[in-house]
């Protein structure tokens, strides 16, 4: 079973509008971390935002916010005021294994976002 | 400060050969992880090392091995290369690797092509 599911292979958004990229996860660990990364066409992986499983507040970093719904096991990324430079592949990832001591980082299949002028 | 550096940037090998990829973490980072990213897919976790010990392993065959050195740099070794090993190999470092809120910082990767 997929541990990280990103159901939107591709998304379009108009410049200056907000967009939500979906991510659901599956884990039996109580302690885990959720991350979003951006991968432009140049290939580098850029860390955007982090949400811990015990964090009660949704994480925010500039124009990025993470809509964390623990009971639904979802961690959606919201990008406000989209810019042309936001066009990239976006990956949701989960870090688990803190109970067992055997750590794993699991990435989703990604969502390709295209911002339209 | 320098980011995560990987070498070489590109590599071409033939089936059956062996390859060693190298990674230097960000200064002060003690944890290194390796990932394989096949074109069009998300990165697949291979290994995590912290303080020279293996702390995590993904579902990869024993042909894949790694180690971490006292200066926290790391090598990924792949034996008996197969065509399916063609991919971008990413190295990522984090400060300790033992806390869930540690973001990983990625290098630019090594693009491995198997002929």
């Amino acid at each position: 079973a997929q541990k990280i599911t990103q159901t939107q292979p591709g998304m379009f958004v108009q410049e200056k509008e907000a967009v939500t990229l979906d991510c659901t996860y599956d884990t039996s660990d109580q302690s885990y971390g959720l991350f979003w990364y951006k991968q432009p066409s140049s290939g580098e992986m850029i860390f955007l935002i982090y949400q811990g499983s015990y964090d009660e507040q949704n994480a925010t970093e500039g124009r990025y916010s993470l809509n964390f719904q623990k009971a639904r096991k979802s961690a959606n990324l919201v990008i406000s005021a989209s810019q042309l430079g936001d066009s990239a592949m976006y990956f949701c990832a989960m870090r688990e294994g803190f109970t067992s001591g055997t750590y794993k980082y699991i990435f989703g299949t990604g969502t390709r976002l295209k911002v339209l002028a | 400060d320098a980011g995560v550096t990987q070498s070489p940037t590109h590599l071409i090998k033939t089936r059956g050969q062996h390859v060693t990829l190298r990674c230097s973490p960000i200064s002060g980072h003690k944890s290194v992880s390796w990932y394989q990213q096949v074109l069009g897919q998300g990165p697949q976790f291979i290994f995590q090392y912290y303080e020279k010990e293996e702390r995590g392993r993904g579902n990869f065959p024993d042909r894949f091995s790694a180690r971490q050195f006292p200066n926290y740099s790391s090598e990924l070794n792949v034996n008996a290369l197969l065509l399916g090993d063609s991919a971008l190999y990413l190295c990522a470092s984090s400060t300790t690797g033992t806390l869930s809120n540690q973001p990983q910082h990625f290098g630019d990767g090594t693009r491995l092509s198997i002929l």
Side-chain angles (χ1 to χ4, degrees), chain A residues 37 39 50 95 98 103 105, chain B residues 35 37 55 97 100-101 104:
Chain A
Y37 288 86
Q39 189 175 42
Y50 160 82
R95 185 132 192 272
F98 295 91
Y103 306 110
Y105 240 99
Chain B
Y35 296 85
Q37 187 177 22
R55 292 300 187 97
S100 63
N101 64 348
Q104 294 195 322

Side-chain angles (χ1 to χ4, degrees), chain B residues 73-111:
Chain B
S73 67
S74 178
E75 284 183 353
L76 175 70
N77 295 284
V78 187
N79 293 325
L81 287 166
L82 303 174
L83 293 177
D85 295 332
S86 294
L88 179 68
Y89 287 84
L90 294 166
C91 174
S93 75
S94 58
T95 50
T96 66
T98 57
L99 298 174
S100 63
N101 64 348
Q102 298 281 326
Q104 294 195 322
H105 300 271
F106 285 79
D108 291 340
T110 294
R111 172 110 15 225

Side-chain angles (χ1 to χ4, degrees), chain A residues 54-73:
Chain A
Y54 293 115
D55 293 341
E56 295 185 353
Q57 303 264 9
N58 285 344
T60 59
E61 289 284 350
R63 295 186 299 111
Y64 304 108
S65 61
L66 201 153
N67 184 1
F68 180 48
Q69 297 186 44
K70 192 171 182 177
R72 298 179 62 182
K73 294 190 174 179

Side-chain angles (χ1 to χ4, degrees), chain A residues 26-54:
Chain A
D26 182 29
T27 182
S28 55
D29 281 10
Q30 295 302 307
S31 178
Y32 52 89
L34 297 160
F35 302 81
W36 278 90
Y37 288 86
K38 172 185 177 181
Q39 189 175 42
S41 55
S42 51
E44 73 271 29
M45 195 75 75
I46 302 166
F47 165 71
L48 296 177
I49 196 167
Y50 160 82
Q51 180 82 42
S53 57
Y54 293 115

Side-chain angles (χ1 to χ4, degrees), chain B residues 35-69:
Chain B
Y35 296 85
Q36 180 195 68
Q37 187 177 22
V38 173
L39 195 62
Q41 297 182 19
Q44 296 293 311
F45 173 70
I46 309 176
F47 289 110
Q48 182 189 16
Y49 276 78
Y50 173 62
E51 290 284 11
K52 303 184 291 294
E53 290 188 6
E54 182 183 301
R55 292 300 187 97
R57 173 185 283 255
N59 296 326
F60 280 80
D62 292 342
R63 299 185 296 109
F64 289 77
S65 64
R67 55 180 176 168
Q68 187 177 31
F69 299 98

